[in-house]
Amino acid sequence: MKPKRAILRAIALMLALLAVPAGRLAAQAETETEGAEMGQVTADKVNLRESPNTDSAILAEVPGGTAVEVLGKDGTWYRVLHNGTVGYIRQDYLFVNSTGSRGAYVKSDGATLRGGPSANSYVVAQLSAGQGLRVKALIGGEWFYAVANDETGYVHRSYLEISSSSTASIGMLKQGMEGEEVERLQKALYNRGFLSKANITSVFSSETRKAVLEFQQACGLSADGIAGAETLNSIYDNNNKIEKANADFYKLKGTVVLLNWFKGGSDWLNKGAKFTVTDVRTGKSFRARRFGGWYHADCEPITTYDTSIMKSLEGFSWNRRPIWVTYNGKTVAASMHTMPHMANPTPSNGFDGHFCIHLYGSLVHENSKECPRHQACVYEAYKAGRG
């Protein structure tokens, strides 16, 4: 009897639905559409993708300002409906009013905050590259209503980059931006040795991004090549002494080990090995190559640049210096002098001869004994690298 009653109820429900006027069903569908969450594309055009990642197939190109229906969210992607096709758009390319304010950054100098959503409207404030502000709404697909410092107004979408966050820090510079703040950043990177003078262009190029990335790695910051507030504060901090020549010192401290030359050291630092030497007393680093030696490593700087850093330590001298040698993921306490002598495998490197590197237990070729001064520096390097 129960199955029979279920069938009768299903039939009654179908009859009830058929009795609803078509206009009423249409009105209900319209009401559901009106209640849908909508978002607008903020870039000139974006890709609608099959899955929430940049490797998935492109289903369509969506023009800037286009309104799409937001169906949900998957990580940093919105699942949307566009012209009957369901796909994914990255959240930083879509402005959804219901999420409230969104952080944004000015792409270049010359942007203006205006009193109305028109290029003919009066100027409220001038904006600079990297300046952070909050976006409250997208008007007509072209103008953002935004808050910059304590002032409100309208900025054309072509001048802004929307972040995935609801707020924006005071400053952020990234690839593609240009202006005075970018040039200031480039000069600071140049002064620290991370960027060449030819790359001070006021345009945040791929070379600038690489320089920022290297600086972040040297400082132990989150390394993404984007100069946010923390990175900018570190770069402009006069108390921060990190330069490209001494960057390895800060990364390697706490990882240094002792390695006996005759119990694995010579095999580890094999002939032909190219490695990094970090001077413990100054923090400066340069690249070198081992080409020979039996009781210790006979080495040479690789380039004239490496020679110049080596010479900057104290000129060319027989004085022993504590160093760290980094090769194949290991950093070992060692000692060296900086005096070029005897064999000169590479005359083009500006170093007229070679220099010697001693590890723990290394000997002197002349008398087959340990050099007390070298061994004292090995221990100094080990002690400095432990903490």
Side-chain angles (χ1 to χ4, degrees):
M1 295 297 293
K2 289 183 179 179
K4 185 175 180 180
R5 283 199 296 270
I7 292 171
L8 289 174
R9 281 198 296 270
I11 292 173
L13 178 60
M14 289 176 63
L15 291 173
L17 288 172
L18 290 173
V20 176
R24 183 175 165 187
L25 287 174
Q28 182 178 347
E30 185 177 351
T31 300
E32 291 174 354
T33 301
E34 288 175 353
E37 186 174 45
M38 304 301 292
Q40 285 181 288
V41 174
T42 59
D44 289 335
K45 63 180 179 181
V46 297
N47 293 323
L48 180 70
R49 294 191 177 270
E50 185 177 33
S51 302
N53 62 75
T54 54
D55 295 326
S56 64
I58 298 173
L59 304 178
E61 285 189 348
V62 187
T66 301
V68 296
E69 183 178 345
V70 178
L71 305 176
K73 195 174 182 184
D74 189 336
T76 58
W77 294 73
Y78 281 116
R79 184 168 178 265
V80 304
L81 175 65
H82 170 63
N83 288 344
T85 302
V86 176
Y88 293 84
I89 294 177
R90 272 175 44 186
Q91 68 176 18
D92 48 342
Y93 292 143
L94 201 66
F95 185 80
V96 181
N97 286 349
S98 65
T99 61
S101 65
R102 289 277 291 276
Y105 296 95
V106 180
K107 291 181 180 179
S108 62
D109 290 349
T112 52
L113 186 71
R114 295 185 176 273
S118 167
N120 298 321
S121 182
Y122 65 93
V123 175
V124 175
Q126 294 287 342
L127 306 175
S128 58
Q131 183 174 344
L133 41 75
R134 287 184 296 117
V135 168
K136 305 293 288 184
L138 180 59
I139 310 299
E142 292 294 320
W143 292 84
F144 283 113
Y145 178 62
V147 181
N149 296 324
D150 295 326
E151 297 179 299
T152 59
Y154 298 84
V155 185
H156 193 270
R157 65 179 177 82
S158 61
Y159 285 108
L160 296 185
E161 178 169 330
I162 306 299
S163 77
S164 58
S165 152
S166 61
T167 60
S169 59
I170 294 174
M172 186 277 287
L173 300 173
K174 64 183 294 186
Q175 191 166 342
M177 291 184 175
E178 55 184 281
E180 293 180 4
E181 283 302 312
V182 174
E183 185 175 1
R184 181 190 176 201
L185 168 66
Q186 291 172 329
K187 287 180 178 178
L189 290 168
Y190 166 73
N191 290 335
R192 291 181 180 273
F194 289 92
L195 194 68
S196 70
K197 194 169 186 177
N199 287 315
I200 302 177
T201 61
S202 78
V203 177
F204 199 119
S205 60
S206 58
E207 289 82 4
T208 305
R209 181 183 182 278
K210 181 181 177 182
V212 171
L213 194 65
E214 289 180 349
F215 176 82
Q216 291 171 326
Q217 290 170 338
C219 285
L221 301 173
S222 177
D224 55 7
I226 297 173
E230 187 176 13
T231 297
L232 292 173
N233 288 338
S234 295
I235 290 175
Y236 298 142
D237 183 0
N238 292 328
N239 294 319
N240 182 343
K241 303 303 182 183
I242 290 180
E243 299 177 1
K244 189 175 179 68
N246 68 14
D248 286 328
F249 178 84
Y250 297 93
K251 292 188 291 184
L252 297 174
K253 197 172 178 63
T255 68
V256 181
V257 299
L258 273 179
L259 180 61
N260 189 295
W261 176 254
F262 293 104
K263 296 180 180 179
S266 179
D267 293 332
W268 165 70
L269 197 66
N270 53 80
K271 291 181 181 180
K274 294 181 179 180
F275 50 90
T276 299
V277 174
T278 302
D279 182 71
V280 171
R281 292 172 182 168
T282 65
K284 294 183 178 181
S285 296
F286 63 92
R287 296 280 291 162
R289 179 182 76 91
R290 179 190 174 192
F291 67 88
W294 173 249
Y295 286 162
H296 57 255
D298 290 339
C299 307
E300 62 176 352
I302 295 177
T303 68
T304 55
Y305 174 74
D306 296 310
T307 298
S308 69
I309 295 176
M310 185 180 189
K311 188 176 181 180
S312 74
L313 303 178
E314 60 172 331
F316 294 139
S317 170
W318 288 108
N319 291 335
R320 278 53 167 175
R321 300 188 66 86
I323 61 171
W324 301 333
V325 176
T326 303
Y327 179 61
N328 272 355
K330 180 182 289 187
T331 299
V332 174
S335 172
M336 73 171 185
H337 60 72
T338 61
M339 179 62 74
H341 65 289
M342 298 179 68
N344 182 19
T346 311
S348 62
N349 66 2
F351 193 79
D352 189 19
H354 71 275
F355 69 99
C356 302
I357 289 181
H358 286 231
L359 269 58
Y360 173 59
S362 290
L363 307 177
V364 177
H365 289 306
E366 289 76 12
N367 58 16
S368 303
K369 295 181 179 179
E370 290 185 358
C371 170
R373 289 184 293 165
H374 270 307
Q375 292 303 306
C377 283
V378 170
Y379 280 105
E380 182 182 337
Y382 177 59
K383 183 177 180 180
R386 291 176 63 187

